[in-house]
Amino acid sequence: MLGSRRTCRLDPDVNGSVVPVEAPCDDRVLHQRVVGGDESALGEIYDRLSSLIFGLSLRVTRDRVIAEDITQEVFLVFWERPLAYDPERGSLRAWLATIAHRRAVDHVRAEERRRVSALGPRLFERDPARPEDTVLAADEAERVRQAVTSLPGSLREALELAYFGGRTYRQVGEELGMPEGTAKSRIRLALRRLADALAEEEV
């Protein structure tokens, strides 16, 4: 079991108890083998830790395909830059999990920015020239209005001031009696929830 692996060095803590201060010995051995270009060592690490990395990535992204990609990327990073891992600073398990978490969070943030950016223009589209496009635009506008109405009051108010009232973040904050940063956060959260609501309708 992972929790019972022998550590390479043990030091007493302030109470005289023995505590591990380095990575497990097999982590160090496998690390050195990977540094030497031993692909079988990477395979052993993958077999032991890939389910952990995948599970962590999946919990953050909620997307199996993305989680699988992140898992592959994490082990590729270790293979290409094994010296980036320092056994003196902790276990390989923790180091790989940290990389996976960062990449998963980066993906979620990038996806949120993409959805918000895609949604923004939809709130300001002018009526198209063709009659059939006019009908579609009216339907789209009605869907957006209904989605906005379903937002919590504090988010709806900030969004309406910014996107329908033409206010800046600072002006929204002044009108609602809150810091500019808080107003900006509420507007972004409102846009994300609006995008989610519209996406659910399209499924």
Side-chain angles (χ1 to χ4, degrees):
M1 296 176 59
L2 294 179
S4 62
R5 292 200 305 276
R6 180 171 55 87
T7 53
C8 289
R9 178 161 61 87
L10 299 175
D11 284 343
D13 65 9
V14 292
N15 297 316
S17 302
V18 175
V19 295
V21 296
E22 293 183 353
C25 282
D26 52 350
D27 276 5
R28 298 174 70 89
V29 171
L30 289 170
H31 175 233
Q32 288 303 314
R33 288 171 57 191
V34 171
V35 170
D38 186 346
E39 293 186 13
S40 65
L42 180 67
E44 291 180 40
I45 296 171
Y46 183 89
D47 290 342
R48 194 177 77 192
L49 298 177
S50 60
S51 60
L52 167 73
I53 301 304
F54 174 77
L56 173 61
S57 302
L58 182 60
R59 283 196 297 274
V60 175
T61 64
R62 299 181 181 181
D63 186 314
R64 295 188 66 86
V65 174
I66 298 301
E68 289 172 357
D69 288 344
I70 291 174
T71 300
Q72 297 298 323
E73 290 173 8
V74 167
F75 286 96
L76 181 60
V77 166
F78 181 52
W79 175 249
E80 293 180 339
R81 296 191 297 127
L83 292 177
Y85 166 62
D86 182 2
E88 299 289 338
R89 302 185 64 179
S91 70
L92 182 58
R93 172 193 179 100
W95 187 74
L96 292 174
T98 298
I99 295 176
H101 184 264
R102 287 175 179 170
R103 289 187 175 242
V105 170
D106 287 344
H107 169 79
V108 171
R109 289 175 176 170
E111 183 64 16
E112 288 179 348
R113 287 194 296 269
R114 184 194 67 76
R115 290 163 58 190
V116 169
S117 297
L119 176 63
R122 295 166 68 183
L123 300 178
F124 300 99
E125 288 176 350
R126 298 181 181 276
D127 290 336
R130 295 184 301 171
E132 60 270 29
D133 287 344
T134 301
V135 173
L136 291 174
D139 179 67
E140 179 77 358
E142 179 59 27
R143 291 178 59 236
V144 171
R145 281 193 293 270
Q146 291 179 358
V148 170
T149 302
S150 69
L151 292 172
S154 59
L155 299 183
R156 183 178 66 252
E157 190 173 21
L159 183 66
E160 288 176 341
L161 285 173
Y163 283 90
F164 300 113
R167 309 295 201 283
T168 63
Y169 290 134
R170 178 176 297 179
Q171 290 171 335
V172 171
E174 291 175 350
E175 292 197 31
L176 298 181
M178 64 180 64
E180 180 180 348
T182 301
K184 187 175 183 179
S185 297
R186 286 193 181 183
I187 293 168
R188 287 182 171 178
L189 178 57
L191 282 171
R192 286 199 296 270
R193 291 196 179 183
L194 190 58
D196 288 340
L198 292 172
E200 288 176 1
E201 292 180 8
E202 294 172 355
V203 174

